[in-house]
Amino acid sequence: DAGVTQSPTHLIKTRGQQVTLRCSPISGHKSVSWYQQVLGQGPQFIFQYYEKEERGRGNFPDRFSARQFPNYSSELNVNALLLGDSALYLCASRRDRVNTGELFFGEGSRLTVL
Amino acid sequence: AQSVTQLGSHVSVSEGALVLLRCNYSSSVPPYLFWYVQYPNQGLQLLLKYTTGATLVKGINGFEAEFKKSETSFHLTKPSAHMSDAAEYFCAVSPMNRDDKIIFGKGTRLHILP
């Protein structure tokens, strides 16, 4: 079975631009979470979606938004990019809503903002 | 609220020596505890987790961790280090049985000396 897949793997944007990152969860997984990992730091929680509803939001500005589609795939959008948004963006999926199950991570989308 | 402190951003051990990576947590409710590993340019992979039951948890690749409630610790150990263990290790906490985010520590980079 395919793991969590993310696209694009790498991208370069300039300040003020907008970016959309995509994630396909493992088949049968209904929960998708997004994390931001700045170089040298641990992942920071951005969003969690379950059954197309937002179930949690981290301490990120409104420039960050996400959605989940009927097939459980997800998109993360970041508007008005800042240099500080440069990071590895990780998507993770889990079968259930509650946190007993293992989070499966994709390999991430590395965003560089110039 | 939950938080995680990993002691030592870099740890070096000789091949064949004991690996000990320290993690202390803070949680206002009973926690679930996790260790994840991240190899270069890859996503995170679950090493082991503590949910309920036995406090000594065995994971993949010969790693284990012990949940010590009195010390609020969840240290990761491996009796004999292998060169392939060189990676970044993240301790993480989440409130038990909740629809909630996982909080990661800042990570410890493990270096294996030949």
Side-chain angles (χ1 to χ4, degrees), chain B residues 46-66:
Chain B
L46 181 69
L47 268 180
L48 49 80
K49 65 179 179 181
Y50 167 78
T51 53
T52 57
T55 56
L56 181 62
V57 180
K58 295 187 184 299
I60 61 172
N61 301 337
F63 285 93
E64 61 183 36
E66 186 171 11

Side-chain angles (χ1 to χ4, degrees), chain A residues 37 42 45 55 97 99-100 106, chain B residues 32 38 49 94-95 98-99:
Chain A
Q37 187 178 17
F45 173 75
R55 303 295 302 184
R97 193 184 80 218
N99 54 9
T100 49
Chain B
Y32 287 159
Q38 187 176 32
K49 65 179 179 181
S94 186
R98 290 258 301 269
D99 175 5

Side-chain angles (χ1 to χ4, degrees), chain A residues 35 37 40-43 45 48 55 88 90 94 97-108 110, chain B residues 32 34 36 38 41-46 49 51 90 94-102 104-107:
Chain A
Y35 286 80
Q37 187 178 17
Q41 299 290 319
F45 173 75
Q48 181 186 356
R55 303 295 302 184
L88 180 67
L90 294 165
R94 167 165 77 200
R97 193 184 80 218
V98 295
N99 54 9
T100 49
E102 176 180 350
L103 264 185
F104 291 85
F105 282 84
E107 294 191 353
R110 185 166 297 282
Chain B
Y32 287 159
F34 309 84
Y36 280 82
Q38 187 176 32
N41 300 314
Q42 294 189 23
L44 280 73
Q45 179 184 10
L46 181 69
K49 65 179 179 181
T51 53
F90 295 95
S94 186
M96 184 177 288
N97 268 340
R98 290 258 301 269
D99 175 5
D100 212 332
K101 59 183 177 288
I102 291 180
F104 287 86
K106 293 186 176 182

